[in-house]
Every structure is written in C-alpha cells, then in structure tokens.
C-alpha cells in the first residue's frame, strides 16, 4: 500500500531551550521560543514556535523547509501565520542528506513536533521538498485537517501515491515552471488528489516561496535578474488565507457533527 502507516511514537525527550539568539524585531503579541525533541530516528529535532497571545492551544500549523535549507527560511510565513492568530512551528529537518531527501522521515519529524506541542488539529505546510513531507505527514496523521504546499516538488512519484489516498484538502501554490520545481511536477500530485485546489502565483520563481531567501537559492533557482515586483508578499497572504480556511472549515465540520 502507498500509505506509510505510522505506529505510536518512541520515547520522546522534549526540552524547551528558551528564546536566546532568536531574531530581533519580533512582532508584538507573538511569543517565540525554541525547543528540541528527539526525532523518531534519534536525531535532535530543533523547532521554533510562534504563539499568538490569547490563542487557545490545540490548533497548529507545522511548516517544513526546502531540501537542505533551514527553518529560518520560513520565518516570514511563520510570522504571518502567527500574526493572523495561528500558532505555528518551524523545524530543522535532521534527516536531510545530500544524497537522500529523507522525505518520509521528515514527515515523521513534522508529526513529532505536532506531538511535542500537544496539537489536536494540524495544518501541515511546506516549501518544495518540505511540501512533499507535509503531504506525507497529513496522509498519516488523523489530526491533519489539510495541507498547504508551496511549489511542491515530487520525488519518485511519492507525492502522487500519497495524494491519491489523501482525505483532507490539499491546497497548492504553484510558481512558474523551472528546473528547481522539476518543471512543475507537483501538478501531477494535485491531479491525483480528490480534494486539491491549485493557485498559480504568476511570475513567481522557486525562491519567492522562501521568506526570506538567500543568495544560495537565488544563484541556483532564481531568474537572472531580480524582479521589481516580487510576488513573495502575495504568496504569504495566499498561504496564510489557505491555512485559515482549512482550520475554519474543520471547525464548521465539527460543529455539524461530521467525523
């Protein structure tokens, strides 16, 4: 079967490590803290939580970064989500290897962070290969209420297999075709899902889905010259609206007594 069935978690070690060394200029009303938990493959899984003031615990967005990137590259999205009232966690995948994306193991790590934070409903989201891991996590986590994929890149048709049996909605934000999004091979993933919605971000290159990006991504993936009107802010707004809509729709389904 295509699904990767996940058994109960192994012994977890959770340690809050405070806020020392976090970026300055954090938005008012948002508590930011770092933590570390032992992953299911026994590596140290470091995460960062953006928690809005006055928000009841339970709902969580877990955000995965791209291949061989870092949680700092998703700071803009995490901040935007927290400012909208959604508790958000980013993480550094500790199972990425140059020769192996470790997509399934990264999915387990996203679920481990959700476990550590006591989530009851989760929107899994991610960028590029991190979006593939978000999809796998949602396919295997009964708490998942949806997936928001940012310029998803599939690998060995794993995303297609996961999407074909995915029950929660899948929302995909898609940039222009390029080598870095494998010529939009994520479109086949959305086509395989019974509950997928695709939003094309016209003029967006792969690096526009990071916030902030850096010279490494620009050198590898961006177009030759910087666009005078980067769609990055449009992407942040669209992704935030997508996460909010998934949580809102899940609340409505619960109120109607749906399972």
């Amino acid at each position: 079967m295509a699904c990767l069935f996940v058994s109960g978690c192994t012994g977890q070690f959770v340690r809050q490590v405070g806020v020392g060394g976090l970026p300055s200029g954090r938005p008012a009303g948002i508590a930011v803290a770092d933590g570390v938990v032992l992953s299911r493959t026994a590596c140290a899984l470091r995460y960062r939580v953006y928690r809005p003031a006055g928000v009841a615990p339970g709902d969580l967005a877990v955000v995965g970064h791209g291949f061989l990137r870092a949680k700092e590259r998703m700071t803009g999205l995490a901040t935007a989500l927290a400012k909208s009232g959604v508790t958000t966690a980013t993480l550094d995948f500790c199972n990425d290897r140059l020769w192996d994306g470790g997509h399934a193991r990264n999915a387990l790590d996203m679920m481990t962070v959700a476990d550590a934070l006591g989530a009851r409903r989760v929107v899994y989201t991610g960028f590029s290969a991190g979006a593939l891991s978000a999809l796998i996590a949602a396919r295997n986590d009964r708490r998942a209420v949806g997936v928001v994929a940012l310029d998803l890149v599939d690998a060995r048709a794993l995303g297609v297999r996961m999407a074909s049996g995915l029950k929660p909605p899948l929302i995909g934000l898609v940039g222009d075709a390029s080598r870095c999004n494998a010529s939009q091979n994520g479109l086949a993933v959305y086509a395989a899902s019974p509950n997928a919605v695709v939003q094309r971000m016209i003029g967006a290159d792969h690096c526009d889905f990071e916030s902030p990006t850096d010279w490494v991504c620009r050198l590898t993936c961006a177009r030759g010259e910087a666009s005078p009107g980067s769609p990055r802010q449009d992407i942040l707004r669209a992704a935030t609206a997508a996460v909010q809509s998934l949580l809102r729709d899940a609340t409505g389904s619960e109120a109607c007594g749906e399972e």
Side-chain angles (χ1 to χ4, degrees):
M1 298 181 67
C3 180
L4 301 173
F5 290 102
V6 178
S7 62
C9 61
T10 58
Q12 289 186 353
F13 169 70
V14 182
R15 179 167 63 92
Q16 296 295 328
V17 296
V19 297
L22 295 183
S24 60
R26 297 189 300 276
I30 298 175
V32 183
D34 277 352
V36 60
V37 62
L38 190 64
S39 82
R40 302 188 192 196
T41 55
C43 57
L45 182 58
R46 301 183 185 281
Y47 62 89
R48 180 165 295 164
V49 185
Y50 300 72
R51 199 183 303 275
V55 175
D59 288 351
L60 180 69
V62 180
V63 180
H65 60 75
F67 178 59
L68 296 180
R69 304 297 279 163
K71 64 180 180 296
E72 285 75 18
R73 298 298 152 207
M74 307 310 294
T75 298
L77 177 56
T79 301
L81 287 169
K83 288 173 67 175
S84 77
V86 179
T87 300
T88 303
T90 59
L91 69 155
D92 285 327
F93 291 133
C94 58
N95 283 294
D96 266 356
R97 300 292 184 270
L98 183 61
W99 58 91
D100 178 14
H103 311 297
R105 292 189 297 273
N106 291 340
L108 292 175
D109 289 346
M110 296 180 83
M111 294 169 64
T112 295
V113 169
D115 293 340
L117 295 174
R120 293 193 296 269
R121 301 190 309 177
V122 187
V123 176
Y124 287 105
T125 185
F127 159 63
S128 193
L132 175 58
S133 294
L135 171 61
I136 299 169
R139 177 71 171 83
N140 288 279
D141 191 345
R142 296 184 63 181
R143 298 168 298 183
V145 298
V147 184
V148 178
L150 309 183
D151 218 25
L152 183 151
V153 177
D154 199 4
R156 300 182 298 277
L158 178 59
V160 171
R161 297 196 298 273
M162 293 292 105
S164 64
L166 182 70
K167 293 182 179 180
L170 169 61
I171 299 175
L173 307 185
V174 179
D176 294 346
S178 70
R179 64 179 181 178
C180 283
N181 66 11
S183 299
Q184 295 179 329
N185 77 347
L187 293 177
V189 175
Y190 306 127
S193 171
N195 299 302
V197 175
V198 176
Q199 183 173 350
R200 293 182 180 269
M201 310 305 297
I202 304 301
D205 65 37
H206 202 55
C207 300
D208 287 324
F209 291 86
E210 287 190 323
S211 50
T213 192
D214 65 0
W215 68 270
V216 175
C217 187
R218 287 192 295 268
L219 180 65
T220 307
C221 297
R223 287 181 282 269
E225 296 182 3
S227 170
S230 170
R232 184 168 288 109
Q233 292 303 315
D234 292 336
I235 292 169
L236 291 177
R237 283 190 288 268
T240 300
V243 170
Q244 289 178 321
S245 71
L246 291 169
L247 290 170
R248 183 171 59 248
D249 290 348
T251 299
S253 296
E254 290 174 358
C256 293
E258 296 181 11
E259 295 294 333

